Short mmCIF file of all heavy atoms in Angstrom, two decimals:
data_model
loop_
_atom_site.label_atom_id
_atom_site.label_comp_id
_atom_site.label_asym_id
_atom_site.label_seq_id
_atom_site.Cartn_x
_atom_site.Cartn_y
_atom_site.Cartn_z
N GLY A 10 103.45 17.89 14.70
CA GLY A 10 102.61 17.01 13.91
C GLY A 10 101.66 17.78 13.02
O GLY A 10 101.82 18.99 12.84
N LEU A 11 100.69 17.08 12.50
CA LEU A 11 99.70 17.66 11.60
C LEU A 11 98.46 18.07 12.39
O LEU A 11 97.93 17.27 13.18
CB LEU A 11 99.32 16.65 10.51
CG LEU A 11 98.22 17.03 9.54
CD1 LEU A 11 98.63 18.25 8.71
CD2 LEU A 11 97.88 15.86 8.63
N VAL A 12 98.02 19.29 12.18
CA VAL A 12 96.83 19.78 12.89
C VAL A 12 96.02 20.63 11.92
O VAL A 12 96.58 21.27 11.02
CB VAL A 12 97.24 20.59 14.14
CG1 VAL A 12 98.09 21.80 13.78
CG2 VAL A 12 96.03 21.01 14.97
N LYS A 13 94.72 20.63 12.10
CA LYS A 13 93.84 21.41 11.22
C LYS A 13 93.83 22.89 11.63
O LYS A 13 94.05 23.21 12.81
CB LYS A 13 92.42 20.86 11.27
CG LYS A 13 92.23 19.53 10.57
CD LYS A 13 90.78 19.09 10.61
CE LYS A 13 90.48 17.95 9.66
NZ LYS A 13 91.39 16.82 9.78
N PRO A 14 93.58 23.77 10.68
CA PRO A 14 93.46 25.19 11.04
C PRO A 14 92.42 25.38 12.15
O PRO A 14 91.36 24.76 12.13
CB PRO A 14 92.99 25.84 9.73
CG PRO A 14 93.55 24.95 8.67
CD PRO A 14 93.46 23.56 9.23
N GLY A 15 92.78 26.23 13.11
CA GLY A 15 91.93 26.45 14.26
C GLY A 15 92.22 25.52 15.42
O GLY A 15 91.72 25.73 16.53
N GLY A 16 93.03 24.52 15.18
CA GLY A 16 93.34 23.54 16.21
C GLY A 16 94.44 24.00 17.15
O GLY A 16 94.96 25.12 17.06
N SER A 17 94.79 23.12 18.08
CA SER A 17 95.80 23.41 19.09
C SER A 17 96.85 22.33 19.12
O SER A 17 96.61 21.19 18.72
CB SER A 17 95.14 23.52 20.48
OG SER A 17 94.22 24.58 20.54
N LEU A 18 98.00 22.71 19.65
CA LEU A 18 99.11 21.78 19.78
C LEU A 18 100.00 22.30 20.90
O LEU A 18 100.12 23.52 21.09
CB LEU A 18 99.90 21.73 18.47
CG LEU A 18 100.58 20.45 18.00
CD1 LEU A 18 99.60 19.29 17.96
CD2 LEU A 18 101.20 20.66 16.64
N ARG A 19 100.61 21.39 21.65
CA ARG A 19 101.56 21.82 22.66
C ARG A 19 102.90 21.18 22.37
O ARG A 19 103.01 19.94 22.32
CB ARG A 19 101.11 21.45 24.08
CG ARG A 19 102.02 22.05 25.15
CD ARG A 19 101.56 21.77 26.56
NE ARG A 19 101.95 20.44 27.01
CZ ARG A 19 102.04 20.08 28.28
NH1 ARG A 19 101.79 20.97 29.24
NH2 ARG A 19 102.36 18.84 28.61
N LEU A 20 103.91 22.01 22.19
CA LEU A 20 105.27 21.53 22.01
C LEU A 20 105.98 21.49 23.35
O LEU A 20 105.75 22.34 24.21
CB LEU A 20 106.04 22.44 21.05
CG LEU A 20 105.43 22.69 19.68
CD1 LEU A 20 106.38 23.53 18.83
CD2 LEU A 20 105.07 21.39 18.98
N SER A 21 106.85 20.51 23.49
CA SER A 21 107.68 20.39 24.69
C SER A 21 109.14 20.41 24.29
O SER A 21 109.50 19.98 23.19
CB SER A 21 107.38 19.09 25.44
OG SER A 21 106.03 19.03 25.84
N CYS A 22 109.96 20.88 25.18
CA CYS A 22 111.41 20.89 24.99
C CYS A 22 112.02 20.40 26.30
O CYS A 22 112.06 21.14 27.29
CB CYS A 22 111.88 22.30 24.65
SG CYS A 22 113.68 22.52 24.61
N ALA A 23 112.46 19.14 26.30
CA ALA A 23 113.03 18.54 27.50
C ALA A 23 114.51 18.86 27.56
O ALA A 23 115.26 18.57 26.62
CB ALA A 23 112.81 17.04 27.47
N ALA A 24 114.92 19.47 28.66
CA ALA A 24 116.29 19.92 28.81
C ALA A 24 117.07 19.04 29.79
O ALA A 24 116.51 18.53 30.76
CB ALA A 24 116.30 21.37 29.31
N SER A 25 118.34 18.88 29.52
CA SER A 25 119.22 18.14 30.42
C SER A 25 120.64 18.65 30.26
O SER A 25 120.99 19.26 29.24
CB SER A 25 119.14 16.64 30.15
OG SER A 25 119.55 16.35 28.83
N GLY A 26 121.45 18.40 31.28
CA GLY A 26 122.86 18.76 31.21
C GLY A 26 123.20 20.16 31.68
O GLY A 26 124.36 20.58 31.59
N PHE A 27 122.21 20.88 32.17
CA PHE A 27 122.46 22.22 32.71
C PHE A 27 121.37 22.55 33.72
O PHE A 27 120.37 21.83 33.82
CB PHE A 27 122.52 23.27 31.59
CG PHE A 27 121.24 23.45 30.81
CD1 PHE A 27 120.39 24.50 31.09
CD2 PHE A 27 120.91 22.57 29.78
CE1 PHE A 27 119.21 24.67 30.37
CE2 PHE A 27 119.75 22.72 29.05
CZ PHE A 27 118.89 23.78 29.34
N THR A 28 121.55 23.64 34.43
CA THR A 28 120.58 24.05 35.44
C THR A 28 119.43 24.78 34.76
O THR A 28 119.49 26.01 34.52
CB THR A 28 121.24 24.94 36.50
OG1 THR A 28 122.36 24.25 37.05
CG2 THR A 28 120.24 25.26 37.62
N PHE A 29 118.41 24.04 34.41
CA PHE A 29 117.31 24.58 33.61
C PHE A 29 116.63 25.75 34.31
O PHE A 29 116.23 26.71 33.67
CB PHE A 29 116.30 23.47 33.32
CG PHE A 29 115.13 23.93 32.50
CD1 PHE A 29 115.25 24.17 31.14
CD2 PHE A 29 113.88 24.11 33.09
CE1 PHE A 29 114.17 24.59 30.38
CE2 PHE A 29 112.80 24.53 32.35
CZ PHE A 29 112.94 24.77 30.99
N SER A 30 116.52 25.69 35.62
CA SER A 30 115.79 26.74 36.34
C SER A 30 116.45 28.11 36.18
O SER A 30 115.79 29.14 36.34
CB SER A 30 115.66 26.39 37.81
OG SER A 30 116.94 26.24 38.40
N ASN A 31 117.72 28.14 35.88
CA ASN A 31 118.42 29.42 35.68
C ASN A 31 118.39 29.91 34.23
O ASN A 31 118.87 31.00 33.94
CB ASN A 31 119.90 29.29 36.09
CG ASN A 31 120.07 29.14 37.59
OD1 ASN A 31 119.17 29.42 38.36
ND2 ASN A 31 121.24 28.67 38.00
N ALA A 32 117.82 29.08 33.36
CA ALA A 32 117.95 29.35 31.92
C ALA A 32 116.90 30.32 31.40
O ALA A 32 115.73 30.29 31.80
CB ALA A 32 117.86 28.04 31.15
N TRP A 33 117.34 31.17 30.49
CA TRP A 33 116.44 31.95 29.65
C TRP A 33 116.31 31.18 28.35
O TRP A 33 117.33 30.87 27.71
CB TRP A 33 117.00 33.33 29.37
CG TRP A 33 117.07 34.25 30.56
CD1 TRP A 33 117.23 33.92 31.88
CD2 TRP A 33 117.03 35.68 30.52
NE1 TRP A 33 117.28 35.04 32.65
CE2 TRP A 33 117.16 36.14 31.86
CE3 TRP A 33 116.90 36.62 29.50
CZ2 TRP A 33 117.14 37.49 32.18
CZ3 TRP A 33 116.89 37.97 29.82
CH2 TRP A 33 117.00 38.40 31.15
N MET A 34 115.08 30.90 27.97
CA MET A 34 114.83 30.05 26.82
C MET A 34 113.97 30.78 25.80
O MET A 34 113.12 31.60 26.15
CB MET A 34 114.09 28.78 27.25
CG MET A 34 114.78 27.95 28.32
SD MET A 34 116.26 27.13 27.74
CE MET A 34 115.56 26.02 26.52
N SER A 35 114.18 30.43 24.54
CA SER A 35 113.33 31.01 23.50
C SER A 35 112.85 29.93 22.55
O SER A 35 113.38 28.81 22.52
CB SER A 35 114.09 32.10 22.73
OG SER A 35 115.09 31.54 21.92
N TRP A 36 111.84 30.28 21.79
CA TRP A 36 111.36 29.46 20.68
C TRP A 36 111.58 30.25 19.39
O TRP A 36 111.26 31.45 19.31
CB TRP A 36 109.87 29.14 20.82
CG TRP A 36 109.54 28.13 21.88
CD1 TRP A 36 109.12 28.38 23.16
CD2 TRP A 36 109.58 26.71 21.75
NE1 TRP A 36 108.92 27.21 23.83
CE2 TRP A 36 109.18 26.15 22.98
CE3 TRP A 36 109.92 25.82 20.71
CZ2 TRP A 36 109.10 24.78 23.21
CZ3 TRP A 36 109.84 24.46 20.93
CH2 TRP A 36 109.44 23.95 22.17
N VAL A 37 112.11 29.56 18.40
CA VAL A 37 112.36 30.13 17.08
C VAL A 37 111.75 29.18 16.06
O VAL A 37 111.87 27.96 16.23
CB VAL A 37 113.88 30.29 16.82
CG1 VAL A 37 114.15 30.72 15.37
CG2 VAL A 37 114.49 31.30 17.80
N ARG A 38 111.12 29.70 15.04
CA ARG A 38 110.53 28.82 14.03
C ARG A 38 111.04 29.18 12.64
O ARG A 38 111.55 30.28 12.41
CB ARG A 38 109.01 28.87 14.07
CG ARG A 38 108.39 30.18 13.62
CD ARG A 38 106.86 30.12 13.78
NE ARG A 38 106.21 31.36 13.35
CZ ARG A 38 104.90 31.57 13.41
NH1 ARG A 38 104.09 30.63 13.90
NH2 ARG A 38 104.40 32.72 12.99
N GLN A 39 110.89 28.23 11.75
CA GLN A 39 111.34 28.41 10.37
C GLN A 39 110.38 27.70 9.44
O GLN A 39 110.33 26.46 9.44
CB GLN A 39 112.77 27.90 10.20
CG GLN A 39 113.38 28.22 8.86
CD GLN A 39 114.89 28.01 8.86
OE1 GLN A 39 115.41 27.11 9.51
NE2 GLN A 39 115.61 28.84 8.12
N ALA A 40 109.63 28.47 8.69
CA ALA A 40 108.73 27.89 7.70
C ALA A 40 109.57 27.24 6.60
O ALA A 40 110.72 27.65 6.36
CB ALA A 40 107.82 28.97 7.12
N PRO A 41 109.03 26.24 5.93
CA PRO A 41 109.79 25.53 4.89
C PRO A 41 110.36 26.49 3.84
O PRO A 41 109.62 27.26 3.24
CB PRO A 41 108.76 24.58 4.29
CG PRO A 41 107.78 24.36 5.38
CD PRO A 41 107.70 25.65 6.12
N GLY A 42 111.67 26.44 3.68
CA GLY A 42 112.33 27.27 2.68
C GLY A 42 112.40 28.75 3.00
O GLY A 42 112.80 29.55 2.15
N LYS A 43 112.03 29.12 4.22
CA LYS A 43 112.01 30.53 4.61
C LYS A 43 113.04 30.82 5.69
O LYS A 43 113.79 29.95 6.12
CB LYS A 43 110.60 30.90 5.12
CG LYS A 43 109.49 30.64 4.12
CD LYS A 43 109.62 31.52 2.90
CE LYS A 43 108.42 31.34 1.98
NZ LYS A 43 108.59 32.13 0.72
N GLY A 44 113.04 32.07 6.13
CA GLY A 44 113.99 32.50 7.14
C GLY A 44 113.54 32.18 8.55
O GLY A 44 112.47 31.62 8.78
N LEU A 45 114.38 32.58 9.49
CA LEU A 45 114.08 32.37 10.90
C LEU A 45 113.06 33.39 11.38
O LEU A 45 113.09 34.55 10.96
CB LEU A 45 115.35 32.49 11.74
CG LEU A 45 116.49 31.54 11.40
CD1 LEU A 45 117.72 31.86 12.25
CD2 LEU A 45 116.07 30.10 11.60
N GLU A 46 112.20 32.96 12.29
CA GLU A 46 111.24 33.86 12.93
C GLU A 46 111.29 33.64 14.44
O GLU A 46 111.11 32.52 14.91
CB GLU A 46 109.82 33.66 12.41
CG GLU A 46 108.83 34.66 13.02
CD GLU A 46 107.43 34.53 12.47
OE1 GLU A 46 107.09 33.49 11.88
OE2 GLU A 46 106.64 35.48 12.63
N TRP A 47 111.54 34.69 15.15
CA TRP A 47 111.55 34.64 16.62
C TRP A 47 110.11 34.54 17.09
O TRP A 47 109.25 35.33 16.68
CB TRP A 47 112.22 35.90 17.14
CG TRP A 47 112.54 35.94 18.59
CD1 TRP A 47 113.67 35.49 19.19
CD2 TRP A 47 111.73 36.51 19.62
NE1 TRP A 47 113.61 35.75 20.55
CE2 TRP A 47 112.43 36.37 20.83
CE3 TRP A 47 110.48 37.13 19.66
CZ2 TRP A 47 111.95 36.83 22.05
CZ3 TRP A 47 109.98 37.59 20.86
CH2 TRP A 47 110.72 37.44 22.05
N VAL A 48 109.84 33.54 17.95
CA VAL A 48 108.47 33.33 18.42
C VAL A 48 108.28 33.98 19.79
O VAL A 48 107.31 34.71 20.02
CB VAL A 48 108.17 31.82 18.51
CG1 VAL A 48 106.81 31.59 19.16
CG2 VAL A 48 108.22 31.19 17.11
#
Side-chain angles (χ1 to χ4, degrees):
Chain A
L11 176 63
V12 60
K13 288 183 167 50
S17 297
L18 213 54
R19 187 177 81 159
L20 305 184
S21 300
C22 172
S25 60
F27 63 99
T28 305
F29 180 74
S30 60
N31 290 344
W33 292 29
M34 304 290 296
S35 70
W36 287 97
V37 173
R38 69 183 181 181
Q39 188 166 35
K43 302 295 186 184
L45 301 176
E46 183 177 18
W47 190 88
V48 173

